[in-house]
Structure formats: C-alpha cells, structure tokens
Amino acid sequence: MNQTLAGRLLVVEDEEHLAFSLEFNFEAEGYAVTVANCLRDARRHLDEASYDLIVLDMMLPDGLGIDLCRELRVGGDHTPVVFLTAKGAPDDVVAGLDAGADDYVTKPFALQELLTRVAAMLRRQRWNDAAPAAGAVEVFTFGDGNRVDFATREALAHGEPVSLTDLELRLLRFFSERQSLVISRQELLEDVWGLAGDTNTRTVDNFLVRLRRLFERDPSRPDHFVTVRGVGYRFVP
Ligand code: CA
C-alpha cells in the first residue's frame, strides 16, 4: 500500500445510492470503508473488526441507528459516531446525542460537510489519545454535584454517573479552561470541533442543549452554560 490509511470507517446506510456514494468518496480520501445496510449487518461487522469511526444513519430497515449507538456506549465502546438525520427532525438530534453519538449531519447534506466532520473528528481523536498537557486540569467540579474527571472520563451530574462522549469531554475541558469568559460559537467550532471556516453554528447550540440537560438544575434557566446573546456562551462556575 503506497498511501497512508486515513482511517477505517463503518458506514451504516440503507439507501443504496447514498451508501455507494459515501463508500466511493471516502475511499477516494484514503479511508478503508465497510458498508452495512441494516443494524444486523452493522453488529456483525462490529463483532468481526474494529473501526476508527462509524457513520450511522438514523432510520434503518430493522430499527434506529441510535439504538446501536446506545448499545456501543453501554458496552464501553467509545468509537466516534457521526449520525445522519433527516431534516426537520430536531428531536432526533437531541436523542442521538443522548444515545452517545459524537456529531451529526442533517440530510440532505453536502458530501464535503460530512468529509470535513469525519476528518476533524479523527484528528480530535488523535489529540485525545495523546497525553494531556502538563498542568492541565484533570478534575472539573462545578454547581451542585457536577464532576468530570478528564483522565478517567468518569462524570457525575447532580451526583449521578453519566456517560460523556469525546466531544462532550473536549467541550467541557474547553469551558473549564475559560471560566467566565465569553466564547463565540465560531471559536467553539474551530477549537473544539476542529472545523475552521464552518458556519453551521446550530451544531454548537445542540450540544449546549445536551450539556444543560445533564448539568443544569433547570435547563431552561441555565446557571452555568449561559447564552451570550448574538455571540455565544459563557461558562459560570
Ligand atoms: Ca435510512
């Protein structure tokens, strides 16, 4: 092989035309791609091999993509998951993030957007796997019984254990290092997601909804993850 492998992807998608297009384009970018067209097929591939990332459609002939995602997370598997959801189904986004997905793209999507997100996520994964910077905060506590241990990834929300994805951990670390500072959505997309030049700031808001639901006493009136109108967010300990 004369080309460096960009990563091993499992693409779970039942629309044949889209699955083919994803396989073709990811392979052109140097990824090794396995396609599954239903949950059963996906589970079989996951039993037989390991992947760097899973692209997971939401609506599949034998169930929901988020069920597979939840199964993986419950089993302690943190393989990054980017899920594909239909436009006009905002509840699916929240459900997907709750199930432990790392990121999402809304159908119909521009192929380049998905390629960019997958590449950014794998880059982040490599940073996460690297040793933390000297002097980095390892345990972050705030509010009422909220505690995140970045080294072990153990987290408590109101004293109860919760499971966080790599992206959520990264986002929390970013806020923990910039307490009380105003942070723009653009800055978050660039520094946390690794998506320079991406203008899809709604992504950021959906992740903040999820963090508030986990850590705020009243998610509709946040004390910690505070919106700064027209700009972004500010973390208040
Ligand atoms: Ca589908």
Side-chain angles (χ1 to χ4, degrees):
M1 193 160 40
N2 53 16
Q3 193 185 8
T4 313
L5 187 65
R8 282 169 227 283
L9 306 185
L10 177 63
V11 172
V12 189
E13 171 58 66
D14 60 316
E15 287 164 50
E16 223 172 292
H17 190 76
L18 179 57
F20 176 78
S21 160
L22 293 176
E23 182 179 21
F24 180 84
N25 284 282
F26 276 118
E27 282 182 351
E29 298 281 319
Y31 295 94
V33 182
T34 300
V35 173
N37 49 33
C38 63
L39 291 176
R40 209 171 71 118
D41 209 17
R43 289 188 183 105
R44 184 173 58 79
H45 286 298
L46 286 164
D47 282 343
E48 288 170 357
S50 69
Y51 298 91
D52 297 309
L53 186 142
I54 303 168
V55 175
L56 182 59
D57 187 30
M58 184 67 105
M59 303 297 283
L60 292 158
D62 53 351
L64 295 174
I66 56 170
D67 292 334
L68 176 63
C69 185
R70 197 173 293 119
E71 279 167 32
L72 291 173
R73 299 304 184 237
V74 167
D77 184 328
H78 297 293
T79 306
V81 171
V82 177
F83 73 96
L84 308 177
T85 178
K87 198 179 172 192
D91 291 350
D92 284 358
V93 172
V94 175
L97 299 180
D98 278 348
D102 293 78
D103 206 353
Y104 70 96
V105 171
T106 306
K107 285 181 176 180
F109 54 87
L111 191 63
Q112 192 54 48
E113 184 189 354
L114 180 61
L115 293 174
T116 305
R117 279 175 186 253
V118 165
M121 183 155 303
L122 290 174
R123 253 197 327 271
R124 277 201 311 268
Q125 186 76 0
R126 286 176 201 123
W127 294 334
N128 287 343
D129 289 347
V137 177
E138 289 304 342
V139 177
F140 177 38
T141 56
F142 62 96
D144 184 16
N146 297 320
R147 183 179 193 281
V148 181
D149 185 328
F150 293 111
T152 63
R153 28 180 340 139
E154 285 166 351
L156 300 176
H158 312 293
E160 297 291 321
V162 290
S163 168
L164 299 173
T165 64
D166 287 343
L167 198 106
E168 288 162 350
L169 287 165
R170 213 172 139 73
L171 197 50
L172 286 164
R173 189 190 274 280
F174 195 81
F175 278 118
S176 75
E177 290 168 350
R178 290 162 185 77
Q179 300 191 19
S180 304
L181 299 177
V182 175
I183 304 168
S184 73
R185 291 181 176 82
Q186 210 59 49
E187 200 178 341
L188 287 167
L189 276 177
E190 284 187 24
D191 292 355
V192 179
W193 272 257
L195 293 170
D198 195 301
T199 52
N200 192 357
T201 52
R202 195 173 304 164
T203 300
V204 175
D205 297 335
N206 278 313
F207 275 82
L208 264 294
V209 168
R210 158 96 177 140
L211 290 185
R212 283 173 176 165
R213 283 181 39 178
L214 283 175
F215 296 111
E216 296 284 359
R217 208 190 308 251
D218 177 358
S220 64
R221 299 174 66 181
D223 296 320
H224 306 297
F225 300 96
V226 180
T227 301
V228 180
R229 198 175 291 268
V231 184
Y233 295 94
R234 191 159 63 91
F235 175 80
V236 181

